Amino acid sequence: MSTPSRQIKLGAFLMQTGHHIAGWRHPEALADAGQNFRHYVDLARKAEAAKFDAVFFADSVGVRNAHSPSLSRTARAEHFEPLTLLSALAAVTERIGLIATVSTTYNEPYHVARKFASLDLISGGRAGWNLVTSSGEGEAQNFNLDTHVAHPLRYQRAEEFHDVVTGLWDTWEDDAFIRDKQTGEFFDAGKHHALNHKGKHFSVRGPLNVGRSPQGWPVVVQAGASEAGRDLAARTAEVIFVAHQTFGEAQEFYGDIKQRAARHGRDPDGIKIMPGIFPIVGRTQEEADEKFQTLQDLIHPVVGVSLLSNMIGGIDLSAYPVDGPLPPLPETNGGKSRQQLLVDLAQRENLTIRDLYLRIAGARGHQQVVGTPQSIADQLQQWFEEGGADGFNIMSPWLPGGLDDFIEQVLPELRRRGLFRTDYQGTTLREHLGLQRPTNRHALARDQARAA
């Protein structure tokens, strides 16, 4: 079979013991994964050997549901700070991309620009920044605030934050550093630029004290599907990590983002849309169903209700009958798009609170696929070829076994269909994803002035 011009992009979304809320209780899971560095080394190397585009780490700067009795029954309370972890993984991998979540709500742009620029240089051009706005009330209380920053303000801040960070990444032109021992000239002062940014939320002079990397900037990833999130993504993102429940939702989002990107003067193909997929793989459908049920049977009801309360926007559902319907919900200051996705799902399928928490216990609102390698490949191929996705973030149900199943069973089927690479063609994350290397804005302006 000839190789098509487009191929599926794949990220390995690695979450401690796996994405299922009870994954840590699986007999094959490493219960101490959150503080087990060797565990992450093994996973990253497996994903690299399988030729994934990147490994992906989520993060928050607080413990969600910190005072809930359910917290003691989950593995979500402990995990490494992601940039520290990725810097260590950069030293034990060679080609795979390294993407970490860092919030714009409770960080400063200079810190983020400097850390990701450093990771990009350390890794040889493999870094990606997942730009998000924090959604948890508990995070605010770790940063001198009593209540969470309002949703509209979070996105206004995020947009300016992006502009400051990317401006700092353009501090140095590609050939600014001469390092000539004979002349004593270390860098060309004309190719070194202070930012001098003064905006509504930030005042940052610059310059950045880290040079440009092989890929120019780290890849900018964005996660969010609210109206504000879509517009931010269309203007700033190069990869979008998003949750969909149906193929129709995926198609609508895909078309909308590509159109918005064009309106912002961007090449629509310069944004890769990669929904999360939670796959449970069996050699037969019966085997896959049994694997899934094994995990479902391990969910403690208190944990299930707490998970749903958090995902529904931080609204406590513990006082409502678990076998009753989802109550009317107030507007949330948390994640608006995820709340709407779950409300729509409950109404569409007439789900009780228990039904809904069982439905999201693995994928947390992302698409859940339980089946054979062929049936899972069928769905990925449909979404990819019919305008629903450019690739997928694979959310293994438990680790390491869930990732092993996908690598050993689904990837050979995708390769047989010519839909996924057999080897890397480049060395940077941008090359893996087919993204253009950004031109330094100061060098571009000078070239345009000369051409005028």
Side-chain angles (χ1 to χ4, degrees):
M1 180 180 294
S2 62
T3 302
S5 57
R6 286 181 71 232
Q7 290 190 316
I8 290 173
K9 309 302 179 186
L10 289 179
F13 185 175
L14 304 179
M15 181 175 281
Q16 296 113 303
T17 55
H19 284 268
H20 195 281
I21 194 65
W24 73 274
R25 301 180 67 192
H26 191 282
E28 298 174 7
L30 294 177
D32 70 343
Q35 59 182 22
N36 187 330
F37 176 61
R38 294 307 313 177
H39 169 67
Y40 290 110
V41 171
D42 292 343
L43 293 175
R45 285 174 168 170
K46 283 181 180 181
E48 183 170 63
K51 313 307 177 186
F52 275 71
D53 293 87
V55 291
F56 178 99
F57 290 91
D59 189 44
S60 68
V61 286
V63 177
R64 293 185 178 180
N65 304 320
H67 305 294
S68 168
S70 72
L71 182 65
S72 65
R73 299 179 182 274
T74 72
R76 300 293 192 249
E78 59 169 3
H79 57 91
F80 291 118
E81 189 284 314
L83 275 168
T84 307
L85 176 59
L86 287 183
S87 295
L89 292 178
V92 295
T93 57
E94 295 181 353
R95 304 288 281 278
I96 195 163
L98 306 164
I99 301 174
T101 297
V102 174
S103 170
T104 61
T105 310
Y106 300 116
N107 282 288
E108 288 294 318
Y110 196 93
H111 285 138
V112 172
R114 188 176 187 228
K115 290 174 182 178
F116 273 101
S118 297
L119 176 61
D120 212 29
L121 281 169
I122 289 168
S123 65
R126 295 186 282 139
W129 170 34
N130 182 35
L131 183 164
V132 302
T133 65
S134 292
S135 60
E137 195 77 19
E139 295 180 76
Q141 294 161 3
N142 289 334
F143 291 87
N144 304 309
L145 297 174
D146 293 325
T147 59
H148 196 24
V149 178
H151 188 273
L153 183 60
R154 296 201 303 267
Y155 276 92
Q156 292 171 18
R157 176 185 168 96
E159 191 160 354
E160 186 178 342
F161 196 113
H162 167 271
D163 292 346
V164 174
V165 169
T166 55
L168 288 169
W169 285 339
D170 273 350
T171 290
W172 303 94
E173 296 182 35
D174 290 318
D175 56 350
F177 288 97
I178 301 167
R179 303 186 184 96
D180 190 325
K181 293 183 178 181
Q182 297 301 316
T183 65
E185 188 174 18
F186 194 78
F187 67 85
D188 183 340
K191 297 183 177 182
H192 166 247
H193 308 276
L195 181 62
N196 294 316
H197 174 90
K198 289 189 179 295
K200 179 178 180 181
H201 301 281
F202 304 106
S203 177
V204 181
R205 179 183 180 275
L208 191 66
N209 57 353
V210 183
R212 275 170 76 85
S213 80
Q215 63 175 358
W217 298 352
V219 172
V220 178
V221 185
Q222 207 266 330
S226 66
E227 181 62 27
R230 289 186 185 212
D231 206 56
L232 177 65
R235 191 178 83 79
T236 66
E238 297 173 285
V239 176
I240 302 177
F241 177 39
V242 67
H244 299 307
Q245 280 292 301
T246 68
F247 178 48
E249 291 173 1
Q251 280 187 312
E252 185 279 328
F253 181 86
Y254 188 95
D256 181 51
I257 289 294
K258 300 287 185 172
Q259 290 173 8
R260 291 182 192 230
R263 290 199 294 270
H264 281 290
R266 300 184 61 194
D267 176 5
D269 196 45
I271 302 178
K272 306 300 180 184
I273 298 175
M274 299 176 64
I277 295 289
F278 175 88
I280 293 190
V281 190
R283 300 192 184 279
T284 65
Q285 185 63 48
E286 292 75 17
E287 181 184 333
D289 291 339
E290 288 174 7
K291 287 183 177 182
F292 182 52
Q293 195 58 48
T294 294
L295 288 165
Q296 294 291 86
D297 290 344
L298 297 174
I299 302 170
H300 194 287
V302 171
V303 174
V305 172
S306 178
L307 171 69
L308 181 58
S309 297
N310 180 62
M311 297 299 298
I312 213 79
I315 297 163
D316 186 5
L317 299 174
S318 61
Y320 296 93
V322 72
D323 290 312
L326 199 65
L329 301 176
E331 184 176 2
T332 180
N333 190 35
K336 293 182 181 295
S337 62
R338 191 59 54 88
Q339 182 192 68
Q340 190 61 53
L341 181 150
L342 295 176
V343 169
D344 291 346
L345 174 61
Q347 293 176 346
R348 185 169 60 243
E349 301 189 20
N350 195 29
L351 302 178
T352 66
I353 289 174
R354 188 192 306 274
D355 293 334
L356 190 54
Y357 83 60
L358 286 171
R359 179 67 69 86
I360 69 166
R364 302 188 312 284
H366 294 271
Q367 180 70 355
Q368 181 171 283
V369 286
V370 181
T372 64
Q374 294 75 23
S375 66
I376 293 173
D378 285 345
Q379 177 165 323
L380 300 185
Q381 183 171 5
Q382 181 193 16
W383 284 39
F384 175 65
E385 293 184 342
E386 297 181 21
D390 296 303
F392 304 92
N393 258 324
I394 303 305
M395 303 168 61
S396 301
W398 79 96
L399 291 168
L403 181 62
D404 292 339
D405 285 349
F406 188 86
I407 290 172
E408 293 167 7
Q409 299 183 57
V410 180
L411 285 190
E413 181 64 22
L414 292 176
R415 288 184 173 121
R416 187 187 67 78
R417 302 179 190 199
L419 291 170
F420 189 65
R421 67 167 66 89
T422 57
D423 202 357
Y424 293 114
Q425 300 302 308
T427 60
T428 70
L429 179 56
R430 290 186 176 279
E431 289 172 330
H432 300 342
L433 294 170
L435 296 171
Q436 293 294 315
R437 186 181 190 275
T439 302
N440 181 282
R441 68 193 65 191
H442 305 288
L444 178 63
R446 186 172 57 249
D447 291 345
Q448 290 174 336
R450 287 172 178 168

